[in-house]
Amino acid sequence: MLWPSHLRPAGYTIASLAVSLGGILNGFDTGSVGAVVTMPQFTDTMGEISPSLLGFTVSVIMFAGAIPSFFSGPPADRYGRLAVVAAGAVSFAIGAVLQASAFSLAQFIIGRVFAGAGEGLFLGVMNVYICEISPSARRGTLASLPQLFSVLAMCAGYFTAYGSVKIQSSIAWRLPFVIMAVIAVAMAITCFLLPPSPRWLVLRGRQEEAIAVVQRLGIQSAEAEKDILRVRDEDVSKQHTSFYHSLRLIWARQYRGRTILALFILGMVQLSGIDGVMYYAPTLFAQAGLPENTAGFLASGLSGILIVIISIPAAILADKWGRRTSVIVGGVLLSSLMFLMGIMYAVGAVHHTGAGRWVVIVSIFAFALSYAATWAFVGKIYASEIQPGCTRAASNAVATGLSFFTNGIVALITPILLAKSAYGAYFLFGGLSFGTLVVLGLYMPETRGEPLESIQEVFSKPLQLHGFGNLLRRGLGSSSSTFGRLSGRTSVESSTAELDELSRAHAASVRVLA
């Protein structure tokens, strides 16, 4: 039965949900592969795998995605966002089939290369498409859907592996890849049914088609005429460039700051160590004192459930509490938890019995939940929305490529670091998280609720950096002048508000990473 018209989701919501199937593929692989490669059935098929080869097998999907992602922007500008997403879905399907049918580690790794290439094509462009079809007031929530779907699928991947491990054949580890192949085929077909981005149509000079798509998406005409359908001569003239010039354009003086900011935020949020936690959760729990098989899978599954529970309100509230709040609160929590776990291992307080192991286990859960509620969403949203139309796809593609690379580094080195020095891994990721917090807290403008076209005005002037001494003096002056207004807030609210005041006080002189 058809839904009543007043209950039917808007076209832009349906399109955002459909294209977010890519998040399911990414999350299901993340949630299942760490468990798959530790299954005895997998070892029976592939043989014993050293820690370094294990890290390479798991992480190769990320390295394989970096290069296609880096170059996916210009094709998305030329052929459309959905064409590149569909190509990525096809590549992922091929990779999933190769992994599901593998009888040698070499074929399994080749399958992960194809799957990684597919992720590299669709993940970055997928967020660009959602940002370009979304109303300003809903952009944060809709752009959060791929990440929300990813954590839902990650939880499903945990429990699929936990359930299939009981199968006394190689089907135990092949089943997750069969499921991913089916989803990837469905995603590829869906891309041919969705409307193209109206902003992309405008850039290609197809104004009448853009108007029809806006009506199909259900976007209000007032917003469409003010923002989406507004032709910017600069964007149109720079859209018809070669592959080489599309990549070169993002480094032009007027766009360089936004490109560097997108690279920084997408690259550094991965260096927090989140994928080390997600991929190797059974190993981390076993190292902290839980039995390696059943309890490790259950603990991983429980963390997946909790991540889903916290991700749902985080996605809904993405347009309520702002991008800066997510960065600052998340950075404080993530770096603190990593340092706490590092200290516990460094002082020898973690044993198979006693309270020390439970401090680490609870901290692992808290770290995953903190990331899921903050940095998991804000990086992907922010990198997509701060770019102008002429560089949005290319810049976001390059930033996503860097994200793949840093993600792969974390997945590659985590088992090696844990085998040599547990506390070293936690201190490394804690230090990187704290550095990310400092830089973004000082230099990241707020974009919540602003139309994509209006956001560009924040970056329209030449940007300059000032020394930390001068910055600190001005910051202290700004903070003291606003103390009375801030004193009634909580400590987190105060810290966020002070940084916002500091950002506004330096709007004319301190800008983002020129």
Side-chain angles (χ1 to χ4, degrees):
M1 188 176 87
L2 295 177
W3 288 351
S5 59
H6 66 283
L7 296 177
R8 190 178 306 151
Y12 57 78
T13 301
I14 296 173
S16 298
L17 287 166
V19 80
S20 296
L21 286 173
I24 294 179
L25 296 175
N26 175 255
F28 203 93
D29 182 83
T30 301
S32 61
V33 70
V36 160
V37 297
T38 60
M39 287 183 183
Q41 297 93 325
F42 185 84
T43 303
D44 291 341
T45 304
M46 305 298 178
E48 292 291 337
I49 303 176
S50 66
S52 57
L53 185 56
L54 173 65
F56 176 77
T57 301
V58 172
S59 65
V60 70
I61 192 172
M62 297 301 169
F63 292 115
I67 294 177
S69 177
F70 188 88
F71 293 106
S72 65
D77 285 333
R78 183 169 183 176
Y79 301 109
R81 314 321 192 195
L82 292 174
V84 175
V85 173
V90 170
S91 179
F92 192 99
I94 294 172
V97 169
L98 287 172
Q99 291 173 88
S101 61
F103 283 94
S104 69
L105 188 61
Q107 180 181 335
F108 187 81
I109 291 174
I110 291 172
R112 292 193 67 71
V113 169
F114 272 92
E119 286 192 347
L121 288 173
F122 66 65
L123 280 181
V125 178
M126 184 173 61
N127 272 81
V128 170
Y129 174 78
I130 294 174
C131 281
E132 289 185 344
I133 68 170
S134 303
S136 302
R138 300 286 307 280
R139 187 176 62 245
T141 296
L142 293 175
S144 299
L145 288 175
Q147 177 62 28
L148 179 60
F149 279 21
S150 180
V151 298
L152 286 166
M154 185 171 60
C155 183
Y158 282 142
F159 282 101
T160 299
Y162 175 68
S164 67
V165 74
K166 298 178 175 63
I167 302 174
Q168 299 302 315
S169 72
S170 64
I171 295 297
W173 65 264
R174 297 182 193 276
L175 181 60
F177 301 105
V178 173
I179 294 172
M180 284 186 276
V182 172
I183 296 172
V185 171
M187 179 182 173
I189 295 173
T190 299
C191 289
F192 293 98
L193 305 177
L194 297 176
S197 162
R199 284 182 165 96
W200 175 78
L201 290 171
V202 169
L203 291 176
R204 305 301 292 180
R206 296 155 63 176
Q207 194 78 10
E208 293 184 2
E209 293 179 60
I211 294 173
V213 167
V214 164
Q215 294 174 345
R216 181 179 171 185
L217 291 171
I219 299 173
Q220 294 184 357
S221 57
E223 178 167 0
E225 293 174 4
K226 180 182 178 182
D227 299 309
I228 297 175
L229 300 177
R230 187 177 67 183
V231 179
R232 299 181 75 233
D233 294 336
E234 178 187 23
D235 285 348
V236 172
S237 65
K238 292 180 178 179
Q239 187 68 26
H240 301 280
T241 57
S242 67
F243 186 94
Y244 167 74
H245 283 94
S246 293
L247 292 177
R248 185 179 178 183
L249 182 62
I250 65 177
W251 299 106
R253 183 175 181 181
Q254 63 268 45
Y255 308 124
R256 187 189 311 142
R258 280 164 279 189
T259 299
I260 294 175
L261 184 56
L263 285 166
F264 185 85
I265 192 168
L266 279 187
M268 292 303 295
V269 296
Q270 299 301 331
L271 290 178
S272 65
I274 183 59
D275 276 283
V277 172
M278 294 294 99
Y279 279 129
Y280 303 108
T283 302
L284 295 177
F285 288 126
Q287 189 179 54
L290 288 179
E292 187 167 357
N293 291 324
T294 303
F297 284 154
L298 282 174
S300 299
L302 177 59
S303 68
I305 293 174
L306 294 176
I307 288 171
V308 168
I309 291 174
I310 200 169
S311 294
I312 293 173
I316 295 173
L317 297 174
D319 286 313
K320 300 295 184 183
W321 68 332
R323 318 303 189 231
R324 285 177 54 79
T325 303
S326 294
V327 164
I328 294 168
V329 173
V332 170
L333 292 173
L334 296 176
S335 56
S336 299
L337 289 166
M338 276 292 180
F339 286 141
L340 173 61
M341 289 186 282
I343 291 171
M344 294 299 294
Y345 276 108
V347 300
V350 183
H351 308 286
H352 283 214
T353 58
R357 65 171 177 163
W358 292 111
V359 172
V360 172
I361 290 169
V362 171
S363 296
I364 292 172
F365 278 114
F367 180 89
L369 295 177
S370 299
Y371 183 90
T374 56
W375 283 15
F377 292 100
V378 70
K380 297 178 179 67
I381 299 171
Y382 198 78
S384 298
E385 66 186 3
I386 64 174
Q387 310 298 334
C390 61
T391 65
R392 184 172 296 121
S395 179
N396 197 66
V398 172
T400 303
L402 178 62
S403 174
F404 270 102
F405 183 77
T406 55
N407 206 341
I409 290 292
V410 171
L412 177 65
I413 67 174
T414 296
I416 300 173
L417 289 174
L418 291 174
K420 293 184 178 297
S421 170
Y423 66 85
Y426 292 114
F427 282 137
L428 172 63
F429 295 135
L432 291 171
S433 299
F434 182 75
T436 304
L437 163 66
V438 171
V439 173
L440 292 178
L442 290 174
Y443 300 118
M444 176 183 173
E446 181 61 71
T447 57
R448 174 177 60 92
E450 294 292 336
L452 290 180
E453 287 71 20
S454 299
I455 290 172
Q456 311 316 314
E457 299 174 5
V458 178
F459 301 91
S460 61
K461 297 180 181 180
L463 310 178
Q464 295 182 351
L465 292 177
H466 286 242
F468 277 101
N470 187 33
L471 186 63
L472 181 60
R473 286 195 300 273
R474 296 192 182 194
L476 290 173
S478 175
S479 298
S480 62
S481 65
T482 58
F483 177 77
R485 286 176 289 156
L486 299 175
S487 58
R489 305 177 186 176
T490 66
S491 59
V492 170
E493 289 172 331
S494 297
S495 298
T496 304
E498 288 173 6
L499 284 167
D500 284 336
E501 291 287 343
L502 177 59
S503 178
R504 288 193 291 270
H506 292 79
S509 58
V510 178
R511 290 290 190 263
V512 180
L513 300 174

